[in-house]
Amino acid sequence: DSGVTQTPKHLITATGQRVTLRCSPRSGDLSVYWYQQSLDQGLQFLIQYYNGEERAKGNILERFSAQQFPDLHSELNLSSLELGDSALYFCASSRTSGGALETQYFGPGTRLLVL
Amino acid sequence: DAKTTQPPSMDCAEGRAANLPCNHSTISGNEYVYWYRQIHSQGPQYIIHGLKNNETNEMASLIITEDRKSSTLILPHATLRDTAVYYCIVRVHMNRDDKIIFGKGTRLHILP
């Protein structure tokens, strides 16, 4: 158990809909990272938040957005969903702003299926 | 793109040492070598990391060559629960953009 929690574990929805994925970092961690893992793309970094502010951006679509709240939990919002958005979405956290001296610890993931 | 090269798959007999190689020939002086593994769609699990010295923890050992162009992750006594995809990653120290770039990894099969 990494200490990172994600809800829900599974989500089934239809094309065109909007969903929100939630992540709670390990106690004391200030950074939250979001990753997407689909069958054909592997694990892809989406976005990082540090202490409420966006820190780094990866291959995140404009239909996707994220935020980190004062209590440090984070939400990833996916809108206008397409079939290709079906994937595993992982959240990770680290102690401060990141860098190679900090380990990122991953949550168990949310499996999204868009029908 | 990932800056590492790993074999796509490997087999290892249960109870034997599993040696997973990784090439990172373009690694820079401020880049660390990290290893994660992912067991069947679970979240990636941190294993070990190092800069230039060999490292050991309760899970594994990491051997980095003197020129730092390659490394080997060693699981000393592999069990069936070690069946997973193992990712070798390089990460820059004090980099503002701390996005881990995962390659395709090595799928390790532990054979009973």
Side-chain angles (χ1 to χ4, degrees):
Chain A
D1 183 0
S2 67
V4 179
T5 60
Q6 291 186 247
T7 56
K9 287 183 89 168
H10 303 276
L11 201 47
I12 301 175
T13 188
T15 55
Q17 295 297 305
R18 172 190 168 95
V19 297
T20 298
L21 313 183
R22 182 187 168 103
C23 168
S24 293
R26 293 187 318 152
S27 177
D29 283 2
L30 299 177
S31 273
V32 169
Y33 311 77
W34 286 97
Y35 292 82
Q36 178 193 54
Q37 185 174 34
S38 55
L39 277 173
D40 56 343
Q41 291 290 326
L43 268 159
Q44 301 271 317
F45 169 77
L46 295 178
I47 197 164
Q48 176 198 357
Y49 275 81
Y50 166 62
N51 208 20
E53 300 288 328
E54 182 184 304
R55 177 85 173 178
K57 220 166 183 175
N59 303 319
I60 187 165
L61 299 173
E62 283 192 17
R63 299 183 286 109
F64 296 179
S65 65
Q67 55 185 324
Q68 186 179 27
F69 295 87
D71 67 352
L72 300 175
H73 90 271
S74 177
E75 293 181 356
L76 179 67
N77 301 296
L78 314 177
S79 61
S80 303
L81 284 167
E82 302 175 358
L83 296 177
D85 298 326
S86 296
L88 275 165
Y89 291 84
F90 291 106
C91 165
S93 73
S94 70
R95 189 61 66 190
T96 62
S97 57
L101 292 183
E102 290 195 358
T103 299
Q104 290 185 23
Y105 292 94
F106 284 76
T110 293
R111 184 179 293 275
L112 173 67
L113 181 60
V114 182
L115 300 175
Chain B
D1 291 335
K3 296 178 68 174
T4 62
T5 305
Q6 299 177 253
S9 68
M10 291 182 63
D11 292 337
C12 178
E14 190 177 18
R16 304 298 292 267
N19 297 283
L20 291 91
C22 179
N23 283 322
H24 29 80
S25 58
T26 61
I27 194 169
S28 301
N30 63 348
E31 289 183 316
Y32 285 69
V33 179
Y34 267 75
W35 284 83
Y36 280 81
R37 72 180 182 184
Q38 188 174 23
I39 298 172
H40 187 54
S41 298
Q42 295 179 22
Q45 178 188 23
Y46 165 76
I47 302 173
I48 199 168
H49 74 280
L51 181 62
K52 54 184 178 181
N53 297 321
N54 298 338
E55 302 288 344
T56 296
N57 64 19
E58 65 278 3
M59 287 184 69
S61 294
L62 175 60
I63 309 297
I64 302 174
T65 58
E66 196 166 333
D67 63 6
R68 302 208 324 123
K69 293 183 186 299
S70 66
S71 60
T72 301
L73 178 74
I74 301 172
L75 307 177
H77 305 287
T79 71
L80 296 177
R81 285 184 293 184
D82 293 321
T83 293
V85 178
Y86 287 76
Y87 296 99
C88 170
I89 297 149
V90 295
R91 296 178 64 197
V92 179
H93 175 41
M94 296 302 291
N95 189 23
R96 180 179 171 83
D97 291 333
D98 190 27
K99 42 196 167 192
I100 294 182
I101 300 176
F102 288 86
K104 296 192 184 302
T106 295
R107 187 171 295 276
L108 177 65
H109 301 277
I110 305 300
L111 307 174

